[in-house]
Amino acid sequence: MYQYIFFDLDGTLTDPREGITKSVQYALSCMGIEEPDLKKLEVFIGPPLVDSFMELYSFEPDKARKCVDYYREYFSVTGIYQNELLEGVPQMLENLKKGGKTLAIASSKPEPFVCTILEHFKIDGYFDYICGATMDETRAKKKDVIEELLRRMELSGEEKGKILMVGDRHHDVEGAAAFEIPCLGLSMGFAEEGELQRAGAVAVVDDMEELERFILRPI
């Protein structure tokens, strides 16, 4: 039976589409690149920002980090609140807590932003542990975030075998797999068709009720 549930944030508990894409749009504008189509910028949701700016715009590391600085100028004031809870999240979290589960956040978003978002939506109290990326991006990949969360929770041996990751992108599945942790995929997020299955998710659910049933079912 799964006891420790690690949740991704963006695309798993919240829909950050507007805030993230407008923050990226602002950052690119500051670099002299105009991108009016926000839909094209949804690929930035999930992966570490520096990696995305380098891969998608062929920026050198220093230029990519400058983009992240511009991104945060917009995001920290406005974009962070251009966000919505996915349908059914508070009730799902409530029921998992009633079921005795230990809940944690493992997000590639900087930890201070994660805490602000959880507090804004008044769901921070459901989580026993909150772990995100560092502001300097030295801890940003999902594997590194999970490693830090495991360290904080002091989980190893038999207890480590009771962990389930929940996420909406292949990064969540692959990051968890690095520690032999299974990952439950959520199709409400931003994965392409078949992405979660190809990455090796133990199952893919379509809404919060199905997610809750998977976690609380007897094994």
Side-chain angles (χ1 to χ4, degrees), residues 87-103:
E87 184 177 356
V89 165
Q91 190 60 55
M92 177 272 293
L93 295 174
E94 177 75 18
N95 291 340
L96 292 185
K97 291 302 288 185
K98 286 180 178 177
K101 304 304 179 184
T102 300
L103 307 185

Side-chain angles (χ1 to χ4, degrees), residues 63-80:
K63 193 172 182 179
R65 283 190 285 271
K66 186 64 176 176
C67 278
V68 172
D69 291 340
Y70 286 133
Y71 172 98
R72 289 175 179 167
E73 282 183 8
Y74 183 94
F75 186 82
S76 63
V77 176
T78 303
I80 195 169

Side-chain angles (χ1 to χ4, degrees), residues 184-203:
L184 175 65
L186 180 64
S187 69
M188 295 172 73
F190 296 93
E192 297 179 357
E193 185 71 28
E195 175 184 322
L196 292 162
Q197 291 88 342
R198 289 192 298 272
V202 292

